[in-house]
Amino acid sequence: MTSAQALPPQTVHVFDAELIWVTSGANQGDAIDVPAHSIAGDVYQLERGATPLRLMLEAESGTGCQRIAPGSEVGTPGNTITVIARHVMMTPEGDTVDILLLRDEASGDLFALPLSPIAARTDYTLIEAQDDPGSARLSDLVCVAFTTGTMITMAGGAQRPIETLQAGDRVLTRDSGPQPVRLVARATLRALGSLAPVVISAGTLGNEGDLIVSPHHRIFLYRRGERRIGDTSEILVQAKHLVDGEHVWRREGGYVDYYALVFDRHEIIYAEGIPVESLMVSEATLGLLPEQLTAEIRARLPDLKHKPHFGTEAGRETVERVGRAKIFRPRNKD
């Protein structure tokens, strides 16, 4: 019998769970823990001087099993790692931060993975702790990138394959007009499991050709009137949520060259004629990218940090409630 094929290692940055603890509330003095031992309203802080550590993971195609990979700064290679909870916390500014709680199943050690940047000695109030982390899987925390041959609209309106772009080339953006590319980063990965690209067939969203992107790449949809998808006419949807097996599907097998475009800001650009996001650079996203992309961005643009583009994100539940048939219509029929 042939064993399941291992997916390429991925890297996330985590804290020892003991370094995030309750400073005020019913569980004062206790570290972040499973929902049964957590109480809404407790205030947590990250300990001063806490340093995120590299956790390297490898997953088996088809099994969903995730193990610690060689080269990880925490845990023992080969041990199974599991996402056991999601903690939703509120910052002093009223924003929310999700923190995934991970467990090394062999040692029982707990690690905290913030999905947004958190700062030491800052209050984070627990809103809720969920036993079911939903769709959050460590192997799904991947990059926002295009594949070879994707046609990008340039400042003058012409289209060029993404692999021909260089730093300094001016690309048309939706909100900022022509903008120079700061970096074209490339990573070659096995096209398996969560790293397999999503194919949006020509015409499905008004795109001129097949748009092939990484699963987490968000597509910008403008829908007004009866065709609105959510509470606003402007929606961002991850490509993986659009998969229906007919108009949009996952292409597995072999290798894929992923290209990420970085600008001075997180932008909406045009690929195959439709609006999509560029790569957002932040400590949170850098910690979730494939190592090849992270290293290149940190080396070339060490001080660049983005704020996310304004736009409401529609999750899988929203897409399924609205129905993909309502979404899969050319934009020129809006």
Side-chain angles (χ1 to χ4, degrees):
M1 179 180 294
T2 302
S3 60
Q5 192 170 17
L7 295 173
Q10 291 180 270
T11 301
V12 295
H13 289 83
V14 300
F15 294 97
D16 186 320
E18 294 291 331
L19 298 179
I20 301 177
W21 49 281
V22 180
T23 58
S24 176
N27 288 330
Q28 186 168 351
D30 292 348
I32 191 170
D33 206 340
V34 296
H37 299 157
S38 304
I39 297 178
D42 279 358
V43 178
Y44 291 75
Q45 287 190 1
L46 173 65
E47 190 167 306
R48 178 180 293 174
T51 302
L53 299 174
R54 184 176 67 250
L55 172 62
M56 297 188 68
L57 302 160
E58 52 192 5
E60 294 180 352
S61 179
T63 69
C65 181
Q66 298 166 89
R67 302 183 185 279
I68 300 174
S72 180
E73 292 180 334
V74 294
T76 301
N79 286 1
T80 299
I81 200 87
T82 306
V83 184
I84 61 171
R86 179 196 296 265
H87 291 69
V88 182
M89 300 193 181
M90 181 176 291
T91 70
E93 293 76 26
D95 297 324
T96 58
V97 173
D98 284 11
I99 299 178
L100 301 184
L101 192 63
L102 319 180
R103 181 170 61 208
D104 181 326
E105 296 296 349
S107 68
D109 292 339
L110 298 179
F111 305 103
L113 170 59
L115 298 186
S116 299
I118 62 173
R121 304 302 296 272
T122 299
D123 290 342
Y124 296 94
T125 303
L126 181 64
I127 300 174
E128 64 175 329
Q130 306 165 350
D131 282 305
D132 180 4
S135 62
R137 294 179 61 244
L138 298 181
S139 60
D140 282 338
L141 301 176
V142 294
C143 60
V144 170
F146 304 95
T147 59
T148 303
T150 301
M151 301 300 289
I152 303 297
T153 302
M154 308 303 292
Q159 294 184 329
R160 284 174 50 187
I162 191 167
E163 64 270 21
T164 69
L165 269 58
Q166 299 178 350
D169 287 343
R170 294 174 67 80
V171 168
L172 181 64
T173 73
R174 181 179 184 271
D175 302 299
S176 308
Q179 291 295 314
V181 175
R182 291 290 302 276
L183 175 67
V184 182
R186 174 182 171 180
T188 300
L189 304 172
R190 294 287 294 276
L192 296 172
S194 64
L195 297 179
V198 172
V199 180
I200 302 173
S201 59
T204 298
L205 297 174
N207 42 310
E208 297 167 0
D210 288 351
L211 177 60
I212 308 173
V213 294
S214 59
H216 278 67
H217 208 133
R218 295 186 298 178
I219 314 301
F220 182 90
L221 301 176
Y222 177 71
R223 299 289 188 267
R224 63 175 183 266
E226 294 182 354
R227 297 191 58 216
R228 282 172 59 162
I229 298 170
D231 296 330
T232 176
S233 58
E234 298 183 352
I235 291 287
L236 292 165
V237 181
Q238 293 183 28
K240 66 175 185 175
H241 295 327
L242 299 175
V243 171
D244 69 342
E246 179 182 358
H247 302 91
V248 183
W249 67 92
R250 299 288 283 266
R251 190 177 72 185
E252 291 205 39
Y255 288 82
V256 58
D257 289 329
Y258 278 130
Y259 294 84
L261 294 182
V262 181
F263 298 85
D264 285 322
R265 297 172 51 188
H266 182 218
E267 299 283 5
I268 299 297
I269 63 174
Y270 296 89
E272 299 297 342
I274 64 173
V276 298
E277 69 173 329
S278 65
L279 178 65
M280 182 176 71
V281 176
S282 70
E283 284 302 320
T285 57
L286 286 177
L288 306 178
L289 294 177
E291 195 73 18
Q292 289 173 268
L293 292 182
T294 300
E296 186 170 5
I297 292 170
R298 288 192 187 280
R300 298 193 182 187
L301 304 172
D303 299 321
L304 184 63
K305 297 293 182 292
H306 287 159
K307 292 182 179 180
H309 180 277
F310 173 79
T312 300
E313 182 167 354
R316 182 181 301 278
E317 296 80 4
T318 300
V319 171
E320 292 179 348
R321 174 176 54 80
V322 171
R324 291 174 177 82
K326 183 177 179 180
I327 299 173
F328 293 168
R329 293 175 59 185
R331 294 182 66 252
N332 59 16
K333 292 186 179 181
D334 281 349

